[in-house]
Amino acid sequence: MAITERSEGTDLELTAVDVSGIVDGVRTTYNSGRTKPMEWRQQQLGGLLRMLELEGGRFEEALALDLGKPAVEGFASDIGSVATEIAGVRKHAPKWAKPRKARLPLTSMPGKGSIVPEPLGVALVVAPWNYPINLLLLPVAAAIAAGNAVIAKPSEIAGATSSLLAELMPRYVDSEAIAVIEGDVAVATELLEQRFDHIFYTGSTEVGRIVYQAAARHLTPCTLELGGKSPVLVDDSANIEVTARRLAWGKWLNAGQTCVAPDYVLVTNKNRDALVDGMRQAFADFAAGAGTKTNADFGSIVTDRHARRLSSLLDDHGGTVAFGGDVDVDAKYVEPTIILDPSADSRIMGEEIFGPLLPVLTVESMAEAVQIVNEREKPLALYIFAEDDDAVDELIGQTTSGGTCVNQVMLHLLPPELPFGGVGESGTGRYHGVSGFDTFSNLRSVLKKPTKPDPKLLYPPYTAFKERLIRRFI
Ligand code: NAD
């Protein structure tokens, strides 16, 4: 049941999609109980794994078409790492799905307490374009592992990948319970009018608000994996050569179009120039003498509209371009660019950059850096570069964020043991590993009591003796 509303770039070939009919069909499957047995869940997860293994080459081609992703980047971020995580989900799902014993206080004795994970029902997963396979399949896998039926909506902006997912998924998984619906904002809007048991949305904070409001109509629980500006604090104790290289990599990967890409850097005068020089050198090393414009290892901006937006951020920032600055909108190319000390009220310091531009702000001290970070919305990621462990702990204690990586960028989202998500404006809810399983589960509390004994203490009449006991023990 793959429903294809083909979209390539911004040219949509629209065909009518019976959104409510598909959702009803998937719900009928869910209501039949088919998705609950662990055996079915394992088969579907196995199907996803087979798809990634057998169709990896086609996925890499689609990613190259949509985002100019180098094959190795596509494999690492959207195929290999996704398969590894899904294999872990498949392995652990039987254990996660078991009732979890709860210890009971004396007042609940005799009895047995447990938390029983059960599926929520039909889940909607809406994904963005920047890691279009990863950000669709990981929540889909978590939903399946927890026994749900799923409607998956890939991003129309990564049109080639979206079409390929819609074509391939029905060949590998039970399409009566796991349906892919392609489409643009109109289709997404229609989807949001349907009733779901969970909505898992990844994308911009702006659209996150729309999704949350739509979900409120049906009181549907939501996970919102959103974006925002992820700051980098470079302490005076940092290893500047390594910091520079790792920050440059954070802006090189997917041409900076990563939700947890470093968005702006705060550094004191002591290290600022060495950091900027180090990044210049790192970009040159990555480009291996070939520059970035036609470099097969450097991705492109997803559409010319997005390239134009990035270009406009360079128009009026009130700072100095330390290096870079070349933009070719038609070629969807933006050069890695460092902007020194843009003004606080510039657009580049106001909105998420989501591209290979990186402002570097000079601060008097880390105390001032913390103040700048804390005046803004709570970030999805916050990075700290420091050799001094006390400084690291202090900076973690003085700030907040969805996640933090120390002395590296972005890699905190890889281990399934670390729940991934935002806080405040950068999102709500978590996934990866068992946290993804729990997100798509109703953790049902069950207390089992024997019928004997049946002490009369709880029941009226409330004698003085009973009252004394109740006041003492409860
Ligand atoms: P996008 O434009 O592809 O939109 C995401 C999805 O929302 C798409 O499937 C799209 O069809 C749908 N959509 C768009 N407008 C809608 C509307 N009005 N109503 C309902 N659905 C609508 O992607 P994007 O939003 O440009 O993605 C980039 C943003 O996503 C950035 O802010 C980035 O930080 C964030 N992001 C967050 C994470 C995370 O894990 N927290 C991961 C990747 C991207």
PDB file of all heavy atoms in Angstrom, residues 80-97:
ATOM      1  N   GLY A  80      24.175   2.548   6.878  1.00  0.00           N
ATOM      2  CA  GLY A  80      24.899   1.674   7.806  1.00  0.00           C
ATOM      3  C   GLY A  80      24.505   1.900   9.259  1.00  0.00           C
ATOM      4  O   GLY A  80      24.169   0.950   9.988  1.00  0.00           O
ATOM      5  N   SER A  81      24.515   3.176   9.695  1.00  0.00           N
ATOM      6  CA  SER A  81      24.203   3.444  11.106  1.00  0.00           C
ATOM      7  C   SER A  81      22.749   3.112  11.411  1.00  0.00           C
ATOM      8  O   SER A  81      22.407   2.685  12.519  1.00  0.00           O
ATOM      9  CB  SER A  81      24.495   4.911  11.455  1.00  0.00           C
ATOM     10  OG  SER A  81      23.752   5.762  10.615  1.00  0.00           O
ATOM     11  N   VAL A  82      21.879   3.293  10.415  1.00  0.00           N
ATOM     12  CA  VAL A  82      20.452   2.987  10.616  1.00  0.00           C
ATOM     13  C   VAL A  82      20.279   1.474  10.762  1.00  0.00           C
ATOM     14  O   VAL A  82      19.562   0.987  11.647  1.00  0.00           O
ATOM     15  CB  VAL A  82      19.615   3.538   9.438  1.00  0.00           C
ATOM     16  CG1 VAL A  82      18.155   3.175   9.592  1.00  0.00           C
ATOM     17  CG2 VAL A  82      19.776   5.049   9.352  1.00  0.00           C
ATOM     18  N   ALA A  83      20.978   0.720   9.898  1.00  0.00           N
ATOM     19  CA  ALA A  83      20.879  -0.745   9.974  1.00  0.00           C
ATOM     20  C   ALA A  83      21.411  -1.237  11.330  1.00  0.00           C
ATOM     21  O   ALA A  83      20.814  -2.115  11.959  1.00  0.00           O
ATOM     22  CB  ALA A  83      21.658  -1.385   8.829  1.00  0.00           C
ATOM     23  N   THR A  84      22.513  -0.647  11.783  1.00  0.00           N
ATOM     24  CA  THR A  84      23.083  -1.066  13.068  1.00  0.00           C
ATOM     25  C   THR A  84      22.090  -0.829  14.195  1.00  0.00           C
ATOM     26  O   THR A  84      21.862  -1.696  15.046  1.00  0.00           O
ATOM     27  CB  THR A  84      24.400  -0.294  13.352  1.00  0.00           C
ATOM     28  OG1 THR A  84      25.273  -0.543  12.273  1.00  0.00           O
ATOM     29  CG2 THR A  84      25.041  -0.740  14.646  1.00  0.00           C
ATOM     30  N   GLU A  85      21.467   0.353  14.171  1.00  0.00           N
ATOM     31  CA  GLU A  85      20.520   0.630  15.267  1.00  0.00           C
ATOM     32  C   GLU A  85      19.282  -0.282  15.170  1.00  0.00           C
ATOM     33  O   GLU A  85      18.804  -0.799  16.181  1.00  0.00           O
ATOM     34  CB  GLU A  85      20.102   2.112  15.271  1.00  0.00           C
ATOM     35  CG  GLU A  85      18.885   2.350  16.156  1.00  0.00           C
ATOM     36  CD  GLU A  85      19.016   3.408  17.243  1.00  0.00           C
ATOM     37  OE1 GLU A  85      19.982   4.161  17.235  1.00  0.00           O
ATOM     38  OE2 GLU A  85      18.105   3.442  18.102  1.00  0.00           O
ATOM     39  N   ILE A  86      18.792  -0.501  13.938  1.00  0.00           N
ATOM     40  CA  ILE A  86      17.599  -1.355  13.808  1.00  0.00           C
ATOM     41  C   ILE A  86      17.924  -2.790  14.236  1.00  0.00           C
ATOM     42  O   ILE A  86      17.103  -3.473  14.872  1.00  0.00           O
ATOM     43  CB  ILE A  86      17.023  -1.303  12.369  1.00  0.00           C
ATOM     44  CG1 ILE A  86      16.511   0.116  12.078  1.00  0.00           C
ATOM     45  CG2 ILE A  86      15.884  -2.315  12.199  1.00  0.00           C
ATOM     46  CD1 ILE A  86      15.982   0.335  10.675  1.00  0.00           C
ATOM     47  N   ALA A  87      19.141  -3.244  13.922  1.00  0.00           N
ATOM     48  CA  ALA A  87      19.525  -4.600  14.356  1.00  0.00           C
ATOM     49  C   ALA A  87      19.495  -4.673  15.888  1.00  0.00           C
ATOM     50  O   ALA A  87      19.043  -5.672  16.464  1.00  0.00           O
ATOM     51  CB  ALA A  87      20.916  -4.942  13.822  1.00  0.00           C
ATOM     52  N   GLY A  88      19.962  -3.623  16.546  1.00  0.00           N
ATOM     53  CA  GLY A  88      19.922  -3.591  18.018  1.00  0.00           C
ATOM     54  C   GLY A  88      18.495  -3.577  18.536  1.00  0.00           C
ATOM     55  O   GLY A  88      18.162  -4.264  19.515  1.00  0.00           O
ATOM     56  N   VAL A  89      17.633  -2.824  17.871  1.00  0.00           N
ATOM     57  CA  VAL A  89      16.222  -2.763  18.276  1.00  0.00           C
ATOM     58  C   VAL A  89      15.596  -4.152  18.139  1.00  0.00           C
ATOM     59  O   VAL A  89      14.889  -4.635  19.029  1.00  0.00           O
ATOM     60  CB  VAL A  89      15.458  -1.724  17.414  1.00  0.00           C
ATOM     61  CG1 VAL A  89      13.961  -1.825  17.622  1.00  0.00           C
ATOM     62  CG2 VAL A  89      15.945  -0.305  17.740  1.00  0.00           C
ATOM     63  N   ARG A  90      15.903  -4.811  17.009  1.00  0.00           N
ATOM     64  CA  ARG A  90      15.324  -6.146  16.789  1.00  0.00           C
ATOM     65  C   ARG A  90      15.814  -7.130  17.860  1.00  0.00           C
ATOM     66  O   ARG A  90      15.052  -7.928  18.397  1.00  0.00           O
ATOM     67  CB  ARG A  90      15.698  -6.662  15.399  1.00  0.00           C
ATOM     68  CG  ARG A  90      15.003  -7.980  15.091  1.00  0.00           C
ATOM     69  CD  ARG A  90      15.189  -8.426  13.684  1.00  0.00           C
ATOM     70  NE  ARG A  90      16.583  -8.650  13.353  1.00  0.00           N
ATOM     71  CZ  ARG A  90      17.002  -9.468  12.408  1.00  0.00           C
ATOM     72  NH1 ARG A  90      16.140 -10.128  11.692  1.00  0.00           N
ATOM     73  NH2 ARG A  90      18.279  -9.610  12.159  1.00  0.00           N
ATOM     74  N   LYS A  91      17.090  -7.016  18.202  1.00  0.00           N
ATOM     75  CA  LYS A  91      17.648  -7.931  19.192  1.00  0.00           C
ATOM     76  C   LYS A  91      17.007  -7.720  20.575  1.00  0.00           C
ATOM     77  O   LYS A  91      16.682  -8.672  21.287  1.00  0.00           O
ATOM     78  CB  LYS A  91      19.164  -7.698  19.267  1.00  0.00           C
ATOM     79  CG  LYS A  91      19.868  -8.569  20.260  1.00  0.00           C
ATOM     80  CD  LYS A  91      21.360  -8.414  20.134  1.00  0.00           C
ATOM     81  CE  LYS A  91      22.027  -9.094  21.316  1.00  0.00           C
ATOM     82  NZ  LYS A  91      23.325  -8.530  21.616  1.00  0.00           N
ATOM     83  N   HIS A  92      16.849  -6.445  20.946  1.00  0.00           N
ATOM     84  CA  HIS A  92      16.419  -6.163  22.321  1.00  0.00           C
ATOM     85  C   HIS A  92      14.908  -6.067  22.497  1.00  0.00           C
ATOM     86  O   HIS A  92      14.429  -6.090  23.640  1.00  0.00           O
ATOM     87  CB  HIS A  92      17.064  -4.867  22.811  1.00  0.00           C
ATOM     88  CG  HIS A  92      18.568  -4.959  22.910  1.00  0.00           C
ATOM     89  ND1 HIS A  92      19.195  -5.843  23.756  1.00  0.00           N
ATOM     90  CD2 HIS A  92      19.551  -4.307  22.253  1.00  0.00           C
ATOM     91  CE1 HIS A  92      20.509  -5.730  23.621  1.00  0.00           C
ATOM     92  NE2 HIS A  92      20.749  -4.798  22.703  1.00  0.00           N
ATOM     93  N   ALA A  93      14.156  -5.952  21.393  1.00  0.00           N
ATOM     94  CA  ALA A  93      12.708  -5.724  21.529  1.00  0.00           C
ATOM     95  C   ALA A  93      12.011  -6.768  22.408  1.00  0.00           C
ATOM     96  O   ALA A  93      11.163  -6.408  23.242  1.00  0.00           O
ATOM     97  CB  ALA A  93      12.047  -5.630  20.152  1.00  0.00           C
ATOM     98  N   PRO A  94      12.338  -8.070  22.271  1.00  0.00           N
ATOM     99  CA  PRO A  94      11.644  -9.045  23.116  1.00  0.00           C
ATOM    100  C   PRO A  94      11.835  -8.760  24.604  1.00  0.00           C
ATOM    101  O   PRO A  94      10.897  -8.893  25.396  1.00  0.00           O
ATOM    102  CB  PRO A  94      12.290 -10.380  22.714  1.00  0.00           C
ATOM    103  CG  PRO A  94      12.815 -10.156  21.333  1.00  0.00           C
ATOM    104  CD  PRO A  94      13.251  -8.730  21.294  1.00  0.00           C
ATOM    105  N   LYS A  95      13.036  -8.306  24.977  1.00  0.00           N
ATOM    106  CA  LYS A  95      13.311  -7.997  26.385  1.00  0.00           C
ATOM    107  C   LYS A  95      12.554  -6.722  26.794  1.00  0.00           C
ATOM    108  O   LYS A  95      11.917  -6.673  27.840  1.00  0.00           O
ATOM    109  CB  LYS A  95      14.828  -7.807  26.542  1.00  0.00           C
ATOM    110  CG  LYS A  95      15.296  -7.557  27.948  1.00  0.00           C
ATOM    111  CD  LYS A  95      16.818  -7.423  27.994  1.00  0.00           C
ATOM    112  CE  LYS A  95      17.279  -6.140  27.308  1.00  0.00           C
ATOM    113  NZ  LYS A  95      18.657  -6.130  26.862  1.00  0.00           N
ATOM    114  N   TRP A  96      12.593  -5.692  25.932  1.00  0.00           N
ATOM    115  CA  TRP A  96      11.924  -4.430  26.266  1.00  0.00           C
ATOM    116  C   TRP A  96      10.413  -4.612  26.391  1.00  0.00           C
ATOM    117  O   TRP A  96       9.754  -3.890  27.138  1.00  0.00           O
ATOM    118  CB  TRP A  96      12.197  -3.374  25.186  1.00  0.00           C
ATOM    119  CG  TRP A  96      13.641  -2.967  25.055  1.00  0.00           C
ATOM    120  CD1 TRP A  96      14.624  -3.082  26.003  1.00  0.00           C
ATOM    121  CD2 TRP A  96      14.266  -2.382  23.900  1.00  0.00           C
ATOM    122  NE1 TRP A  96      15.816  -2.596  25.510  1.00  0.00           N
ATOM    123  CE2 TRP A  96      15.635  -2.167  24.232  1.00  0.00           C
ATOM    124  CE3 TRP A  96      13.832  -2.029  22.626  1.00  0.00           C
ATOM    125  CZ2 TRP A  96      16.536  -1.597  23.332  1.00  0.00           C
ATOM    126  CZ3 TRP A  96      14.718  -1.453  21.736  1.00  0.00           C
ATOM    127  CH2 TRP A  96      16.063  -1.248  22.081  1.00  0.00           C
ATOM    128  N   ALA A  97       9.868  -5.576  25.620  1.00  0.00           N
ATOM    129  CA  ALA A  97       8.404  -5.731  25.589  1.00  0.00           C
ATOM    130  C   ALA A  97       7.872  -6.507  26.794  1.00  0.00           C
ATOM    131  O   ALA A  97       6.669  -6.547  27.039  1.00  0.00           O
ATOM    132  CB  ALA A  97       7.992  -6.443  24.291  1.00  0.00           C
TER     133      ALA A  97
END
